[in-house]
Amino acid sequence: MTIKRIGIIGAGKVGIVLAGLALKAGYEVRISGSGSVSKIELTIETLVPGAVASENADVIANSDLIILAIPLSRYHNIDPQLLNGKLVIDAMNYWWETDGIREEVLTPDSTSSEQVQAYFKGSTIVKTFNHMGYHNLQEDARPKGTKDRKALFVTGNNSEAVTKVAQFVDTMGFDQVVHYHLADGIMTEPGSPLFGASLNYQDLKNIIDHFDQTEFGKKVAASTHHE
């Protein structure tokens, strides 16, 4: 499948920035928000002219790749059947200020992306775009080969899907450090050394390679690598 059409669920800061990068990269972009189309239409027209504001169902049906860029506590508001058969990027993080009490959002026995995958069981989830702030995503995107290009962590259980998403990340202006275990996404979530990081490929890879030697990394390994 050639990725030409990008659907973004979430018209907040991250969603808007990713829409802008996707448009610049030559993709067709649809974006939906939490309210009616009319509620976000002016914002979309002003901040990302060229993107199409629409409802979730239309965004999903007419996109080759979906990006979830909403508060983590709201993914249950989406009908999981809408995403059946879709390649989906999970760009979400738990954040107490917007999501509320963690125990009301996530169960303690698996990572957030694993729970997102379990909910959208008919789709294929890949984790990326979550550890870099929206301002860095916007300002640090660079063409391939640029000396000061930054890198994003990309991980998922399906190797073909991870490869496709990594190629997409490349076109969006970032190098990629790739893993093939969805639970590894926790290494870039709030509370980890990589959350908020805007690093080049080698620096990001070095931290990830040594991550399992830290106390935090040992806890992650113990709690997420079940198999």
Side-chain angles (χ1 to χ4, degrees):
M1 177 188 71
T2 301
I3 296 173
K4 295 181 178 180
R5 305 172 301 166
I6 306 302
I8 300 173
I9 299 178
K13 292 173 181 177
V14 173
I16 293 294
V17 167
L18 293 177
L21 293 176
L23 286 168
K24 186 176 180 180
Y27 295 101
E28 177 184 319
V29 178
R30 284 179 169 81
I31 185 167
S32 61
S34 57
S36 64
V37 174
S38 60
K39 184 178 178 181
I40 66 166
E41 208 159 24
L42 181 59
T43 300
I44 301 305
E45 290 176 357
T46 303
L47 298 180
V48 279
V52 177
S54 192
E55 302 284 355
N56 284 349
D58 177 68
V59 169
I60 294 168
N62 291 287
S63 299
D64 305 313
L65 173 65
I66 308 298
I67 302 175
L68 297 178
I70 55 179
L72 184 63
S73 56
R74 298 180 188 170
Y75 75 86
H76 279 108
N77 296 340
I78 302 169
D79 180 353
Q81 293 186 2
L82 289 176
L83 287 170
N84 283 350
K86 291 291 185 176
L87 176 57
V88 180
I89 290 176
D90 174 13
M92 302 181 291
N93 290 305
Y94 166 77
W95 196 248
W96 70 269
E97 292 181 338
T98 54
D99 294 319
I101 300 171
R102 185 181 180 90
E103 289 75 14
E104 295 179 357
V105 179
L106 296 169
T107 59
D109 57 347
S110 66
T111 66
S112 65
S113 288
E114 289 177 293
Q115 291 175 53
V116 171
Q117 177 67 88
Y119 180 74
F120 297 111
K121 59 185 178 181
S123 67
T124 302
I125 301 291
V126 176
K127 184 84 166 181
T128 192
F129 291 124
N130 67 299
H131 68 82
M132 193 181 292
Y134 70 90
H135 51 285
N136 289 120
L137 286 169
Q138 186 172 44
E139 296 170 5
D140 293 346
R142 298 285 188 277
K144 188 172 184 177
T146 302
K147 185 177 180 180
D148 60 349
R149 201 183 201 211
K150 305 300 184 181
L152 288 166
F153 186 57
V154 182
T155 192
N157 293 332
N158 183 303
S159 59
E160 182 180 356
V162 170
T163 297
K164 287 180 180 178
V165 170
Q167 291 169 346
F168 171 68
V169 168
D170 188 35
T171 66
M172 294 280 274
F174 301 93
D175 289 336
Q176 320 90 50
V177 175
V178 174
H179 276 205
Y180 297 99
H181 190 241
L182 187 60
D184 287 349
I186 199 172
M187 294 194 296
T188 56
E189 294 178 1
S192 77
L194 292 174
F195 182 69
S198 181
L199 303 170
N200 63 33
Y201 172 85
Q202 196 57 57
D203 288 343
L204 184 62
K205 187 175 187 303
N206 287 345
I207 292 176
I208 290 171
D209 286 348
H210 290 91
F211 183 86
D212 59 359
Q213 301 304 313
T214 67
E215 286 303 313
F216 187 87
K218 291 174 184 176
K219 290 178 182 177
V220 169
S223 63
T224 64
H225 291 70
H226 313 294
E227 53 283 349

